[in-house]
Amino acid sequence: MNHQTHAFHMVNPSPWPLTGALSALLITSGLTMWFHFNSMTLMLLGLLACIMTMYQWWRDIVREGTYQGHHTPTVQKGLRYGMVLFIISEVFFFAGFFWAFYHSSLAPTPELGGYWPPAGINPLNPTEVPLLNTAILLASGVSITWAHHSLMEGHRKHVIQSLLTTIILGIYFTLLQASEYFEAPFTISDGIYGSTFFVATGFHGLHVIIGSTFLTVCLIRQLLFHFTSKHHFGFEAAAWYWHFVDVVWLFLYVSIYWWGS
Amino acid sequence: MLGVEAQKPPKGKWTTAPFDPRFPNQNQTRNCYQNFLDYHRCVKAMNRRGKSAQPCEYYFREYRSLCPISWVQRWNQQIQDGTFAGKI
């Protein structure tokens, strides 16, 4: 009978890296078709392929870890490294947009009137909806910590309640931010102010949606009894990601909404 | 030689723009723009108080020597059209 004499997981051959790469090709070329030739078909095909890849790839990881027991402590350590490195790469991603914002706002050009916010821009009041959004994300950070402790203590009902609270707060944030986007007196094409504002907050909003989705998957897995009090890395990864999203918002709020007004 | 007279500099004291420690670096855009703004603000303030705008001459000469003429023309046109972005 064959058995491995090491703690690592030699993954079975999988088609999902290939379909993921193909979806990337379709999305990028699809963007070109959309921008220049007025057709969304290729891009939608690519997005569909991407979503299917993500669903099936992560489903397989859950099968390998939870159902087949391949996630030894050593394997889990590798997954932790992976998640940490990914989040670090996301930090650098946002650092670029903050650099762009500060580059333009610390030395406003004569075209803007030499001051920030530029001529003609009425920024959003930071003490209104943006402050509420800050409170929402901070509260969601508290609720997810509650969820984690409940999970470690084996308190199933509390895990479900607190995880649900976190997700609802995330959705509330998204809805409020969407309404702000709709009601804002300036658009993305309103000079460098519009560009820096909407690209930075827009990517943040996308990350909130991604984080909320990740948390929802965790909720479903919790309902299906996947997590134990000792082994629940999927949840921890989601929690790390959620805290990262919260921290990015705090930087956005202080820099763009508050100082930038 | 088009006449010796024409090649002599015009009479009067001509100095270049002095060093302004507010703008120590190579890029002097802000120096030009700030003096342009200051001249117009000075003129506006003096006119509001009914005084002569003579002291504002300094800013005028500063921005005239520092700024590219095309910028000055563009900004003056914007002021006329009411589209100038600066606060004067």
Side-chain angles (χ1 to χ4, degrees):
Chain A
M1 192 161 91
N2 293 334
H3 72 280
Q4 65 185 46
T5 51
H6 60 81
F8 298 95
H9 180 200
M10 304 302 287
V11 183
N12 288 334
S14 164
W16 312 132
L18 178 61
T19 60
L22 286 173
S23 77
L25 174 64
L26 293 179
I27 290 172
T28 47
S29 50
L31 273 172
T32 308
M33 290 303 288
W34 185 39
F35 289 161
H36 295 281
F37 300 105
N38 198 25
S39 163
M40 287 211 269
T41 316
L42 207 57
M43 184 178 69
L44 292 172
L45 203 57
L47 284 169
L48 182 66
C50 186
I51 290 170
M52 293 300 294
T53 300
M54 293 192 287
Y55 175 74
Q56 290 170 112
W57 194 334
W58 285 323
R59 175 208 62 193
D60 283 356
I61 294 175
V62 168
R63 286 174 174 176
E64 292 157 5
T66 305
Y67 299 152
Q68 295 177 342
H70 286 291
H71 288 182
T72 64
T74 313
V75 171
Q76 213 195 102
K77 197 147 183 264
L79 292 169
R80 283 175 192 278
Y81 274 128
M83 192 64 196
V84 164
L85 290 170
F86 172 65
I87 291 178
I88 290 174
S89 79
E90 294 253 74
V91 168
F92 282 110
F93 179 70
F94 277 97
F97 298 121
F98 278 100
W99 187 335
F101 169 72
Y102 277 112
H103 176 101
S104 304
S105 58
L106 284 167
T109 62
E111 286 79 6
L112 306 173
Y115 52 86
W116 191 275
I121 295 285
N122 291 320
L124 299 172
N125 187 340
T127 61
E128 292 179 0
V129 175
L131 188 59
L132 173 60
N133 274 343
T134 305
I136 289 170
L137 284 185
L138 287 173
S140 73
V142 170
S143 61
I144 200 173
T145 306
W146 172 29
H148 192 196
H149 283 266
S150 304
L151 187 50
M152 293 189 288
E153 287 157 23
H155 211 138
R156 179 181 170 79
K157 208 163 67 156
H158 280 189
V159 175
I160 293 167
Q161 282 177 354
S162 48
L163 198 41
L164 196 56
T165 306
T166 312
I167 295 167
I168 288 172
L169 287 170
I171 293 173
Y172 188 27
F173 175 95
T174 306
L175 291 174
L176 281 171
Q177 194 66 329
S179 129
E180 284 281 273
Y181 269 31
F182 195 66
E183 298 286 335
F186 52 86
T187 73
I188 196 172
S189 50
D190 282 327
I192 193 63
Y193 184 88
S195 300
T196 49
F197 181 90
F198 283 107
V199 168
T201 61
F203 270 117
H204 173 262
L206 178 64
H207 284 69
V208 171
I209 293 169
I210 293 169
S212 302
T213 309
F214 197 170
L215 289 170
T216 307
V217 167
C218 286
L219 180 60
I220 294 170
R221 293 187 66 201
Q222 165 68 5
L223 291 168
L224 295 173
F225 297 92
H226 286 195
F227 299 134
T228 75
S229 60
K230 291 274 186 288
H231 189 164
H232 44 257
F233 176 65
F235 175 84
E236 287 184 55
W240 291 348
Y241 196 77
W242 192 252
H243 287 303
F244 158 71
V245 162
D246 186 11
V247 168
V248 170
W249 171 260
L250 294 174
F251 275 93
L252 278 176
Y253 181 72
V254 168
S255 304
I256 296 184
Y257 283 92
W258 191 0
W259 177 84
S261 67
Chain B
M1 287 296 196
L2 291 172
V4 179
E5 246 336 288
Q7 289 179 62
K8 287 204 189 118
K11 296 232 183 304
K13 210 158 179 291
W14 297 92
T15 55
T16 53
F19 172 68
D20 191 337
R22 295 177 300 169
F23 315 107
N25 297 321
Q26 185 177 356
N27 187 332
Q28 292 286 294
T29 305
R30 191 76 200 195
N31 196 352
C32 141
Y33 186 64
Q34 195 60 51
N35 280 297
F36 181 85
L37 286 177
D38 289 344
Y39 170 69
H40 284 90
R41 289 173 183 169
C42 173
V43 165
K44 188 174 174 188
M46 292 304 218
N47 286 342
R48 199 180 59 229
R49 293 173 202 176
K51 293 194 187 142
S52 148
Q54 181 55 35
C56 306
E57 275 302 300
Y58 171 76
Y59 296 121
F60 180 82
R61 290 158 79 96
E62 278 269 306
Y63 87 70
R64 277 245 77 112
S65 69
L66 288 168
C67 298
I69 297 176
S70 62
W71 293 11
V72 175
Q73 288 169 340
R74 187 174 67 238
W75 291 336
N76 283 329
Q77 183 63 44
Q78 285 175 349
I79 292 175
Q80 270 189 345
D81 297 338
T83 60
F84 184 68
K87 286 180 177 151
I88 292 183

